[in-house]
Structures are given as structure tokens and as C-alpha cells.
Amino acid sequence: MELLRPHIIERHARQLRHQRGEPELTRRQWEILRLVASGSTNRQAARALQLSERTVTKHLENIYLRLNVQSRTEAIRAAGMHTLAG
């Protein structure tokens, strides 16, 4: 049962996000989007998460696809994070 606990918790969290109408993003994508919403550049987000800048850029591209948007600002709004951005 201990091995299943993290999976059960994550599944429950996904269901709650879905019920609230939040977009379906990975944990890492949410981390990056939060940093972007708080004003971080790709380079700053990469340093904060110990990733390459290219990896952050790729995550953002995937976020845009999932949210059907074309910019950082649109992604922040689509994710309901506009209050963090300004």
C-alpha cells in the first residue's frame, strides 16, 4: 500500500484540479508557469529548477500546446494565474 500512496495522492489531486476547471499540466509545467507568472525569465526559471534554458523553453512550448495559446501572457491567463503576474 505504501508504494501506491503517491500515485493515489497524485490521482486525487488531478481529479480536484479537473473539477476546478484547471488545465491538465504536469507538476514541472506548473512549476515553470508559476516562475514565469512571477516574472522570471527562461534563464532564471532554469537556474531556479536546475534545468537547462532549452528545457524550460521546451516545457513552455508544451504548455502553449496544451493550453492552446501562443504566448507567456496567454498561458498565465489560461491557467488562471493572472493575479500572480500583475
Side-chain angles (χ1 to χ4, degrees):
M1 190 61 154
E2 284 297 314
L3 293 174
L4 291 176
R5 182 176 303 221
H7 301 287
I8 293 168
I9 291 170
E10 178 59 29
R11 178 68 182 140
H12 180 66
R14 261 191 308 210
Q15 282 180 315
L16 290 175
R17 286 192 300 270
H18 179 73
Q19 288 172 352
R20 290 189 301 250
E22 293 180 15
E24 198 56 42
L25 300 175
T26 66
R27 187 176 304 164
R28 181 62 89 187
Q29 288 170 336
W30 278 112
E31 290 173 329
I32 290 170
L33 200 51
R34 282 186 193 96
L35 288 168
V36 167
S38 68
S40 294
T41 63
N42 288 9
R43 178 173 284 166
Q44 291 167 332
R47 285 185 184 154
L49 298 173
Q50 298 180 349
L51 300 170
S52 74
E53 194 172 343
R54 178 68 188 125
T55 299
V56 169
T57 300
K58 191 60 178 172
H59 277 300
L60 284 170
E61 290 172 7
N62 289 328
I63 290 168
Y64 298 166
L65 286 172
R66 284 188 179 202
L67 298 179
N68 195 29
V69 299
Q70 296 185 15
S71 72
R72 298 161 82 88
T73 304
E74 286 181 293
I76 292 164
R77 284 197 181 112
M81 301 176 77
H82 54 278
T83 55
L84 292 177

Coordinates of all heavy atoms in Angstrom, one line a residue:
M1 N 0.8 -1.2 0.0 CA 0.0 0.0 0.0 C 0.9 1.3 0.0 O 0.5 2.3 -0.6 CB -0.9 0.0 1.2 CG -2.0 1.0 1.2 SD -3.0 0.8 -0.3 CE -4.5 1.6 0.3
E2 N 2.0 1.2 0.7 CA 2.9 2.4 0.7 C 3.4 2.8 -0.7 O 3.6 4.0 -0.9 CB 4.1 2.1 1.6 CG 3.8 2.2 3.1 CD 3.3 3.5 3.6 OE1 3.9 4.5 3.2 OE2 2.3 3.6 4.3
L3 N 3.6 1.8 -1.5 CA 4.1 2.1 -2.9 C 3.0 2.8 -3.7 O 3.3 3.6 -4.6 CB 4.5 0.8 -3.6 CG 5.7 0.1 -3.0 CD1 6.0 -1.2 -3.7 CD2 6.9 1.0 -3.1
L4 N 1.7 2.5 -3.4 CA 0.6 3.1 -4.2 C 0.3 4.5 -3.7 O -0.4 5.3 -4.4 CB -0.6 2.2 -4.1 CG -0.5 0.9 -4.8 CD1 -1.8 0.1 -4.6 CD2 -0.4 1.1 -6.3
R5 N 0.6 4.8 -2.4 CA 0.2 6.1 -1.8 C 0.5 7.3 -2.7 O -0.4 8.1 -3.0 CB 0.8 6.2 -0.5 CG 0.3 7.5 0.2 CD 0.9 7.6 1.6 NE 0.4 6.4 2.3 CZ 0.0 6.3 3.5 NH1 0.0 7.4 4.2 NH2 -0.4 5.2 4.1
P6 N 1.7 7.5 -3.2 CA 2.0 8.7 -4.0 C 1.1 8.8 -5.3 O 0.7 9.8 -5.7 CB 3.5 8.6 -4.4 CG 4.0 7.6 -3.4 CD 2.9 6.7 -3.0
H7 N 0.9 7.6 -5.9 CA 0.1 7.6 -7.1 C -1.4 7.9 -6.8 O -2.0 8.6 -7.6 CB 0.2 6.2 -7.8 CG 1.6 5.8 -8.1 ND1 2.3 6.4 -9.2 CD2 2.4 5.0 -7.6 CE1 3.5 5.9 -9.2 NE2 3.6 5.1 -8.3
I8 N -1.9 7.4 -5.7 CA -3.3 7.7 -5.3 C -3.4 9.2 -5.0 O -4.4 9.9 -5.4 CB -3.7 6.9 -4.1 CG1 -3.8 5.4 -4.5 CG2 -5.0 7.3 -3.5 CD1 -3.9 4.4 -3.3
I9 N -2.4 9.8 -4.3 CA -2.5 11.2 -3.9 C -2.4 12.0 -5.2 O -3.2 13.0 -5.3 CB -1.3 11.6 -3.0 CG1 -1.6 10.9 -1.6 CG2 -1.2 13.1 -2.9 CD1 -0.4 11.0 -0.7
E10 N -1.6 11.7 -6.1 CA -1.5 12.5 -7.4 C -2.7 12.3 -8.2 O -3.2 13.3 -8.8 CB -0.3 12.0 -8.2 CG -0.1 12.7 -9.5 CD 0.1 14.2 -9.4 OE1 0.6 14.7 -8.4 OE2 -0.3 14.9 -10.4
R11 N -3.3 11.2 -8.3 CA -4.6 11.0 -9.0 C -5.7 11.8 -8.4 O -6.5 12.5 -9.1 CB -5.0 9.5 -9.0 CG -6.3 9.2 -9.7 CD -6.2 9.4 -11.2 NE -7.5 9.2 -11.8 CZ -8.0 9.9 -12.7 NH1 -7.3 10.9 -13.2 NH2 -9.1 9.7 -13.2
H12 N -5.8 11.8 -7.1 CA -6.8 12.6 -6.4 C -6.6 14.1 -6.7 O -7.5 14.9 -6.9 CB -6.7 12.4 -4.9 CG -7.7 13.2 -4.1 ND1 -9.1 13.0 -4.2 CD2 -7.5 14.2 -3.2 CE1 -9.7 13.8 -3.4 NE2 -8.8 14.6 -2.8
A13 N -5.3 14.6 -6.6 CA -5.0 16.0 -6.9 C -5.4 16.3 -8.3 O -6.0 17.4 -8.6 CB -3.5 16.3 -6.7
R14 N -5.2 15.4 -9.3 CA -5.6 15.6 -10.7 C -7.1 15.8 -10.8 O -7.6 16.6 -11.5 CB -5.1 14.5 -11.6 CG -3.8 14.9 -12.3 CD -3.5 13.8 -13.4 NE -3.6 12.5 -12.7 CZ -2.9 11.5 -13.0 NH1 -2.1 11.5 -14.1 NH2 -2.9 10.4 -12.4
Q15 N -7.8 14.9 -10.1 CA -9.3 15.0 -10.1 C -9.8 16.3 -9.6 O -10.7 16.9 -10.1 CB -9.9 13.9 -9.3 CG -9.9 12.5 -10.0 CD -10.5 11.4 -9.2 OE1 -10.2 11.3 -8.0 NE2 -11.3 10.6 -9.8
L16 N -9.2 16.8 -8.5 CA -9.6 18.1 -7.9 C -9.3 19.2 -8.9 O -10.2 20.1 -9.0 CB -8.9 18.3 -6.6 CG -9.3 17.4 -5.4 CD1 -8.4 17.7 -4.2 CD2 -10.7 17.6 -5.1
R17 N -8.1 19.2 -9.5 CA -7.8 20.2 -10.5 C -8.8 20.2 -11.7 O -9.2 21.3 -12.1 CB -6.4 20.1 -11.0 CG -5.3 20.5 -10.0 CD -3.9 20.6 -10.6 NE -3.5 19.4 -11.2 CZ -2.8 18.5 -10.5 NH1 -2.4 18.6 -9.3 NH2 -2.3 17.4 -11.2
H18 N -9.2 19.0 -12.1 CA -10.1 18.9 -13.2 C -11.5 19.4 -12.8 O -12.1 20.2 -13.6 CB -10.2 17.4 -13.6 CG -11.2 17.2 -14.7 ND1 -10.9 17.6 -16.0 CD2 -12.4 16.7 -14.7 CE1 -12.0 17.3 -16.8 NE2 -12.9 16.7 -16.0
Q19 N -11.9 19.1 -11.6 CA -13.2 19.6 -11.1 C -13.2 21.2 -11.0 O -14.3 21.8 -11.2 CB -13.5 19.0 -9.7 CG -13.9 17.6 -9.8 CD -14.0 17.0 -8.4 OE1 -13.7 17.6 -7.4 NE2 -14.5 15.7 -8.3
R20 N -12.1 21.7 -10.7 CA -12.0 23.2 -10.6 C -11.8 23.9 -11.9 O -11.7 25.1 -12.1 CB -10.8 23.6 -9.7 CG -11.1 23.3 -8.2 CD -10.0 23.9 -7.3 NE -8.7 23.4 -7.6 CZ -8.0 22.6 -6.9 NH1 -8.4 22.2 -5.7 NH2 -6.7 22.3 -7.2
G21 N -11.7 23.0 -13.0 CA -11.5 23.6 -14.3 C -10.1 24.0 -14.6 O -9.8 24.7 -15.6
E22 N -9.1 23.5 -13.8 CA -7.7 23.9 -14.1 C -7.2 23.0 -15.2 O -7.6 21.9 -15.4 CB -6.9 23.6 -12.8 CG -7.2 24.6 -11.7 CD -6.4 24.3 -10.5 OE1 -5.3 23.6 -10.6 OE2 -6.7 24.8 -9.4
P23 N -6.3 23.6 -16.0 CA -5.7 22.9 -17.1 C -4.9 21.7 -16.7 O -4.4 21.7 -15.6 CB -4.8 23.9 -17.8 CG -4.8 25.1 -17.0 CD -5.8 24.9 -15.9
E24 N -4.8 20.7 -17.5 CA -4.0 19.5 -17.3 C -2.6 19.7 -17.6 O -2.2 19.5 -18.8 CB -4.7 18.3 -18.1 CG -4.4 16.9 -17.6 CD -4.7 16.6 -16.2 OE1 -5.8 17.0 -15.7 OE2 -3.9 15.9 -15.6
L25 N -1.8 20.1 -16.7 CA -0.3 20.3 -16.8 C 0.4 19.4 -15.9 O -0.1 19.0 -14.8 CB 0.1 21.8 -16.6 CG -0.6 22.8 -17.4 CD1 -0.2 24.2 -16.9 CD2 -0.2 22.7 -18.9
T26 N 1.7 19.0 -16.2 CA 2.5 18.2 -15.4 C 2.9 19.1 -14.2 O 2.9 20.3 -14.2 CB 3.7 17.7 -16.1 OG1 4.6 18.8 -16.4 CG2 3.3 16.9 -17.3
R27 N 3.4 18.4 -13.2 CA 4.0 19.2 -12.0 C 5.1 20.1 -12.4 O 5.1 21.3 -12.0 CB 4.5 18.2 -11.0 CG 4.9 18.8 -9.7 CD 5.3 17.8 -8.7 NE 4.2 16.8 -8.5 CZ 4.4 15.6 -7.9 NH1 5.5 15.3 -7.4 NH2 3.4 14.8 -7.8
R28 N 6.0 19.7 -13.3 CA 7.1 20.5 -13.7 C 6.6 21.7 -14.5 O 7.0 22.8 -14.4 CB 8.0 19.7 -14.6 CG 9.2 20.5 -15.1 CD 10.1 21.0 -13.9 NE 11.1 20.1 -13.6 CZ 11.9 20.1 -12.5 NH1 11.8 21.2 -11.7 NH2 12.8 19.2 -12.3
Q29 N 5.6 21.5 -15.4 CA 5.0 22.6 -16.1 C 4.4 23.6 -15.2 O 4.5 24.8 -15.5 CB 4.0 22.1 -17.1 CG 4.6 21.3 -18.3 CD 3.6 20.6 -19.2 OE1 2.5 20.2 -18.7 NE2 4.0 20.3 -20.4
W30 N 3.7 23.2 -14.2 CA 3.1 24.1 -13.2 C 4.2 24.9 -12.5 O 4.1 26.1 -12.3 CB 2.3 23.4 -12.1 CG 0.9 23.1 -12.6 CD1 0.3 21.9 -12.8 CD2 -0.2 24.1 -12.9 NE1 -1.0 22.0 -13.2 CE2 -1.3 23.3 -13.3 CE3 -0.2 25.4 -12.8 CZ2 -2.5 23.9 -13.6 CZ3 -1.4 26.1 -13.2 CH2 -2.6 25.3 -13.6
E31 N 5.3 24.3 -12.2 CA 6.5 25.0 -11.5 C 7.0 26.1 -12.4 O 7.2 27.2 -12.0 CB 7.6 24.0 -11.2 CG 7.3 23.0 -10.1 CD 8.4 21.9 -9.9 OE1 9.0 21.6 -10.9 OE2 8.6 21.5 -8.8
I32 N 7.2 25.7 -13.7 CA 7.7 26.7 -14.7 C 6.7 27.8 -14.9 O 7.1 29.0 -14.9 CB 8.1 26.0 -16.0 CG1 9.3 25.1 -15.8 CG2 8.3 27.0 -17.1 CD1 9.6 24.2 -16.9
L33 N 5.5 27.5 -15.0 CA 4.4 28.5 -15.2 C 4.3 29.5 -14.0 O 4.2 30.7 -14.2 CB 3.1 27.9 -15.5 CG 2.1 28.8 -16.2 CD1 2.6 29.4 -17.5 CD2 0.8 27.9 -16.6
R34 N 4.5 28.9 -12.8 CA 4.5 29.8 -11.6 C 5.7 30.8 -11.6 O 5.5 31.9 -11.3 CB 4.5 28.9 -10.3 CG 3.2 28.3 -10.0 CD 3.2 27.6 -8.6 NE 2.0 26.8 -8.5 CZ 1.9 25.5 -8.8 NH1 3.0 24.9 -9.2 NH2 0.8 24.9 -8.7
L35 N 6.8 30.3 -12.0 CA 8.0 31.1 -12.1 C 7.8 32.2 -13.1 O 8.1 33.4 -12.9 CB 9.3 30.3 -12.3 CG 9.7 29.5 -11.2 CD1 10.8 28.5 -11.6 CD2 10.3 30.3 -10.1
V36 N 7.3 31.8 -14.3 CA 7.1 32.8 -15.4 C 6.0 33.8 -14.9 O 6.2 35.0 -15.2 CB 6.6 32.0 -16.6 CG1 6.0 33.0 -17.7 CG2 7.7 31.2 -17.2
A37 N 5.0 33.4 -14.2 CA 3.9 34.3 -13.8 C 4.5 35.3 -12.8 O 4.0 36.4 -12.7 CB 2.8 33.5 -13.2
S38 N 5.5 34.9 -12.0 CA 6.1 35.8 -11.0 C 7.2 36.7 -11.6 O 7.8 37.5 -10.9 CB 6.7 35.0 -9.9 OG 7.8 34.2 -10.3
G39 N 7.4 36.6 -13.0 CA 8.3 37.5 -13.6 C 9.6 36.9 -14.0 O 10.5 37.6 -14.6
S40 N 9.9 35.6 -13.8 CA 11.1 35.0 -14.1 C 11.3 34.9 -15.6 O 10.4 34.6 -16.3 CB 11.3 33.6 -13.5 OG 11.3 33.7 -12.1
T41 N 12.5 35.1 -16.1 CA 12.9 34.8 -17.5 C 13.1 33.3 -17.6 O 13.2 32.6 -16.6 CB 14.2 35.5 -17.9 OG1 15.2 35.0 -17.1 CG2 14.0 37.0 -17.7
N42 N 13.2 32.8 -18.8 CA 13.6 31.4 -19.0 C 14.9 31.0 -18.3 O 15.0 30.0 -17.7 CB 13.7 31.1 -20.5 CG 12.3 31.1 -21.2 OD1 11.3 31.5 -20.6 ND2 12.3 30.6 -22.4
R43 N 15.8 31.9 -18.4 CA 17.1 31.6 -17.8 C 17.0 31.6 -16.3 O 17.6 30.7 -15.6 CB 18.1 32.7 -18.2 CG 19.5 32.5 -17.5 CD 20.5 33.5 -18.0 NE 20.9 33.0 -19.3 CZ 21.6 33.7 -20.2 NH1 21.9 34.9 -20.0 NH2 21.9 33.2 -21.4
Q44 N 16.2 32.5 -15.7 CA 16.0 32.5 -14.2 C 15.3 31.2 -13.8 O 15.6 30.6 -12.8 CB 15.3 33.7 -13.8 CG 16.1 35.0 -13.9 CD 15.3 36.3 -13.8 OE1 14.1 36.3 -14.1 NE2 15.9 37.3 -13.4
A45 N 14.3 30.9 -14.5 CA 13.5 29.7 -14.2 C 14.4 28.4 -14.3 O 14.3 27.5 -13.4 CB 12.3 29.5 -15.1
A46 N 15.2 28.4 -15.3 CA 16.1 27.3 -15.5 C 17.1 27.1 -14.3 O 17.3 26.1 -13.8 CB 16.9 27.4 -16.8
R47 N 17.6 28.3 -13.9 CA 18.5 28.2 -12.7 C 17.8 27.8 -11.4 O 18.3 27.0 -10.7 CB 19.2 29.6 -12.5 CG 20.2 29.9 -13.5 CD 20.9 31.3 -13.2 NE 21.9 31.6 -14.2 CZ 22.2 32.8 -14.5 NH1 21.7 33.8 -13.9 NH2 23.1 33.0 -15.5
A48 N 16.6 28.3 -11.2 CA 15.8 28.0 -10.0 C 15.5 26.5 -10.0 O 15.5 25.9 -8.9 CB 14.6 28.8 -10.0
L49 N 15.3 25.9 -11.1 CA 14.9 24.5 -11.2 C 16.0 23.6 -11.5 O 15.8 22.4 -11.7 CB 13.7 24.3 -12.1 CG 12.5 25.1 -11.8 CD1 11.4 25.0 -12.9 CD2 11.9 24.6 -10.5
Q50 N 17.2 24.1 -11.7 CA 18.4 23.4 -12.1 C 18.2 22.6 -13.4 O 18.5 21.4 -13.5 CB 18.9 22.4 -11.0 CG 19.2 23.2 -9.7 CD 19.7 22.3 -8.6 OE1 19.5 21.1 -8.6 NE2 20.2 22.9 -7.6
L51 N 17.7 23.3 -14.4 CA 17.4 22.8 -15.7 C 18.2 23.6 -16.7 O 18.7 24.7 -16.4 CB 16.0 22.9 -16.1 CG 15.0 22.1 -15.2 CD1 13.5 22.5 -15.6 CD2 15.2 20.6 -15.3
S52 N 18.3 23.2 -17.9 CA 18.9 24.0 -19.0 C 17.8 25.0 -19.5 O 16.6 24.7 -19.3 CB 19.4 23.1 -20.2 OG 18.3 22.7 -20.9
E53 N 18.3 26.1 -20.0 CA 17.3 27.0 -20.5 C 16.5 26.4 -21.7 O 15.3 26.7 -21.9 CB 18.1 28.3 -21.0 CG 17.2 29.5 -21.3 CD 18.1 30.7 -21.6 OE1 19.3 30.8 -21.3 OE2 17.5 31.7 -22.1
R54 N 17.1 25.6 -22.5 CA 16.4 24.9 -23.6 C 15.3 24.0 -23.0 O 14.2 23.9 -23.7 CB 17.4 24.1 -24.4 CG 16.8 23.3 -25.5 CD 16.3 24.2 -26.6 NE 15.5 23.5 -27.6 CZ 14.3 23.7 -27.9 NH1 13.7 24.7 -27.5 NH2 13.7 22.9 -28.8
T55 N 15.5 23.3 -21.9 CA 14.5 22.5 -21.3 C 13.3 23.3 -20.9 O 12.1 23.0 -21.1 CB 15.1 21.7 -20.1 OG1 16.1 20.9 -20.6 CG2 14.0 20.8 -19.5
V56 N 13.6 24.5 -20.3 CA 12.5 25.4 -19.9 C 11.7 25.8 -21.1 O 10.5 25.9 -21.1 CB 13.0 26.6 -19.1 CG1 11.9 27.6 -18.9 CG2 13.5 26.1 -17.7
T57 N 12.4 26.2 -22.2 CA 11.8 26.6 -23.4 C 10.9 25.5 -24.0 O 9.8 25.8 -24.4 CB 12.8 27.0 -24.5 OG1 13.6 28.1 -23.9 CG2 12.2 27.5 -25.8
K58 N 11.4 24.3 -24.0 CA 10.6 23.2 -24.5 C 9.3 23.0 -23.6 O 8.2 22.7 -24.1 CB 11.4 21.9 -24.5 CG 10.8 20.8 -25.3 CD 10.5 21.2 -26.7 CE 9.9 20.1 -27.5 NZ 9.5 20.5 -28.8
H59 N 9.5 23.1 -22.3 CA 8.3 22.9 -21.4 C 7.3 24.0 -21.7 O 6.1 23.8 -21.8 CB 8.7 23.1 -19.9 CG 9.2 21.8 -19.3 ND1 8.5 20.6 -19.3 CD2 10.4 21.5 -18.8 CE1 9.2 19.7 -18.7 NE2 10.4 20.2 -18.4
L60 N 7.8 25.2 -22.0 CA 6.8 26.3 -22.3 C 6.1 26.1 -23.6 O 4.9 26.3 -23.7 CB 7.6 27.7 -22.3 CG 7.9 28.3 -21.0 CD1 8.8 29.5 -21.1 CD2 6.6 28.7 -20.2
E61 N 6.8 25.5 -24.6 CA 6.2 25.2 -25.9 C 5.1 24.2 -25.6 O 4.0 24.3 -26.2 CB 7.2 24.6 -26.8 CG 8.2 25.6 -27.4 CD 9.4 25.0 -28.2 OE1 9.3 23.7 -28.4 OE2 10.3 25.7 -28.5
N62 N 5.4 23.2 -24.8 CA 4.4 22.1 -24.5 C 3.2 22.7 -23.7 O 2.0 22.3 -23.9 CB 5.0 21.0 -23.7 CG 5.9 20.2 -24.6 OD1 5.7 20.0 -25.8 ND2 6.9 19.6 -24.0
I63 N 3.5 23.7 -22.8 CA 2.4 24.3 -22.1 C 1.5 25.1 -23.1 O 0.3 25.0 -23.0 CB 3.0 25.3 -21.0 CG1 3.6 24.5 -19.9 CG2 1.9 26.3 -20.5 CD1 4.5 25.4 -19.0
Y64 N 2.1 25.8 -24.0 CA 1.3 26.5 -25.0 C 0.4 25.6 -25.8 O -0.7 25.9 -26.1 CB 2.2 27.3 -26.0 CG 3.1 28.3 -25.4 CD1 4.2 28.9 -26.1 CD2 3.0 28.8 -24.1 CE1 5.0 29.9 -25.6 CE2 3.8 29.8 -23.6 CZ 4.8 30.3 -24.3 OH 5.7 31.3 -23.8
L65 N 0.9 24.5 -26.2 CA 0.1 23.5 -26.9 C -1.0 23.0 -26.1 O -2.2 22.9 -26.6 CB 1.0 22.3 -27.4 CG 2.0 22.6 -28.5 CD1 2.9 21.4 -28.7 CD2 1.2 22.9 -29.8
R66 N -0.8 22.6 -24.9 CA -1.8 22.1 -24.0 C -2.9 23.1 -23.7 O -4.1 22.8 -23.6 CB -1.3 21.6 -22.7 CG -0.5 20.3 -22.8 CD -0.2 19.8 -21.4 NE 0.5 18.5 -21.6 CZ 0.6 17.6 -20.6 NH1 0.0 17.8 -19.5 NH2 1.2 16.5 -20.8
L67 N -2.5 24.4 -23.6 CA -3.5 25.4 -23.3 C -4.0 26.1 -24.5 O -4.9 27.0 -24.4 CB -2.8 26.5 -22.4 CG -2.3 26.0 -21.0 CD1 -1.7 27.1 -20.3 CD2 -3.4 25.4 -20.2
N68 N -3.5 25.7 -25.7 CA -3.9 26.3 -27.0 C -3.7 27.8 -27.0 O -4.7 28.6 -27.3 CB -5.4 25.9 -27.3 CG -5.7 26.2 -28.7 OD1 -4.9 26.2 -29.6 ND2 -7.0 26.6 -29.0
V69 N -2.5 28.2 -26.6 CA -2.2 29.7 -26.6 C -0.8 29.9 -27.3 O -0.2 28.9 -27.7 CB -2.0 30.2 -25.1 CG1 -3.4 30.1 -24.4 CG2 -0.9 29.5 -24.3
Q70 N -0.4 31.1 -27.4 CA 0.8 31.4 -28.2 C 1.8 32.3 -27.5 O 2.8 32.7 -28.1 CB 0.4 32.0 -29.5 CG -0.4 31.1 -30.4 CD -0.6 31.6 -31.8 OE1 0.0 32.6 -32.2 NE2 -1.6 31.0 -32.5
S71 N 1.5 32.6 -26.2 CA 2.5 33.5 -25.5 C 2.5 33.2 -24.0 O 1.5 32.5 -23.5 CB 2.1 35.0 -25.7 OG 1.0 35.3 -25.0
R72 N 3.5 33.7 -23.3 CA 3.6 33.6 -21.9 C 2.3 34.2 -21.2 O 1.8 33.6 -20.3 CB 4.8 34.2 -21.4 CG 6.1 33.7 -21.9 CD 7.3 34.6 -21.8 NE 7.9 34.6 -20.5 CZ 8.8 33.8 -20.1 NH1 9.3 33.0 -20.9 NH2 9.3 33.9 -18.9
T73 N 2.0 35.4 -21.6 CA 0.9 36.1 -21.0 C -0.4 35.3 -21.2 O -1.2 35.1 -20.2 CB 0.7 37.5 -21.6 OG1 2.0 38.2 -21.5 CG2 -0.4 38.3 -21.0
E74 N -0.7 34.8 -22.4 CA -1.9 34.0 -22.6 C -1.9 32.7 -21.8 O -2.9 32.3 -21.3 CB -2.0 33.6 -24.1 CG -2.3 34.7 -25.1 CD -2.4 34.2 -26.5 OE1 -1.4 33.9 -27.1 OE2 -3.6 34.2 -27.0
A75 N -0.7 32.1 -21.6 CA -0.6 30.9 -20.8 C -0.9 31.2 -19.4 O -1.7 30.4 -18.7 CB 0.8 30.3 -21.0
I76 N -0.4 32.3 -18.9 CA -0.7 32.6 -17.5 C -2.2 32.9 -17.3 O -2.8 32.4 -16.3 CB 0.1 33.9 -17.1 CG1 1.6 33.5 -17.1 CG2 -0.4 34.5 -15.8 CD1 2.5 34.7 -17.1
R77 N -2.8 33.6 -18.2 CA -4.2 33.8 -18.1 C -5.1 32.6 -18.3 O -6.0 32.3 -17.5 CB -4.7 34.8 -19.2 CG -4.3 36.2 -18.9 CD -5.1 37.2 -19.7 NE -4.6 38.6 -19.4 CZ -3.9 39.4 -20.1 NH1 -3.6 39.0 -21.4 NH2 -3.6 40.6 -19.7
A78 N -4.7 31.7 -19.2 CA -5.4 30.5 -19.4 C -5.3 29.5 -18.2 O -6.3 28.8 -18.0 CB -4.9 29.8 -20.7
A79 N -4.2 29.6 -17.5 CA -4.1 28.8 -16.3 C -4.7 29.4 -15.1 O -4.6 28.8 -14.0 CB -2.6 28.5 -16.1
G80 N -5.3 30.6 -15.2 CA -5.9 31.2 -14.1 C -4.9 31.8 -13.1 O -5.2 32.0 -12.0
M81 N -3.7 32.1 -13.6 CA -2.7 32.6 -12.7 C -2.4 34.1 -12.9 O -1.4 34.7 -12.5 CB -1.3 31.9 -13.0 CG -1.5 30.4 -12.8 SD 0.0 29.5 -13.2 CE 1.0 29.9 -11.8
H82 N -3.3 34.8 -13.6 CA -3.1 36.2 -14.0 C -2.9 37.1 -12.7 O -2.3 38.1 -12.8 CB -4.2 36.7 -14.8 CG -5.6 36.5 -14.3 ND1 -6.2 35.3 -14.4 CD2 -6.4 37.4 -13.6 CE1 -7.4 35.4 -13.8 NE2 -7.5 36.6 -13.3
T83 N -3.5 36.7 -11.6 CA -3.3 37.5 -10.4 C -1.8 37.5 -9.9 O -1.4 38.4 -9.3 CB -4.2 37.0 -9.2 OG1 -3.9 35.6 -9.0 CG2 -5.7 37.2 -9.6
L84 N -1.1 36.4 -10.2 CA 0.3 36.4 -9.9 C 1.2 37.3 -10.8 O 2.2 37.8 -10.4 CB 0.9 35.0 -10.0 CG 0.3 33.9 -9.0 CD1 0.9 32.6 -9.3 CD2 0.7 34.3 -7.6
A85 N 0.7 37.4 -12.0 CA 1.5 38.2 -13.0 C 1.4 39.7 -12.9 O 2.2 40.4 -13.4 CB 1.1 37.7 -14.4
G86 N 0.4 40.2 -12.2 CA 0.4 41.6 -12.1 C -0.9 42.1 -11.6 O -1.2 43.1 -11.5

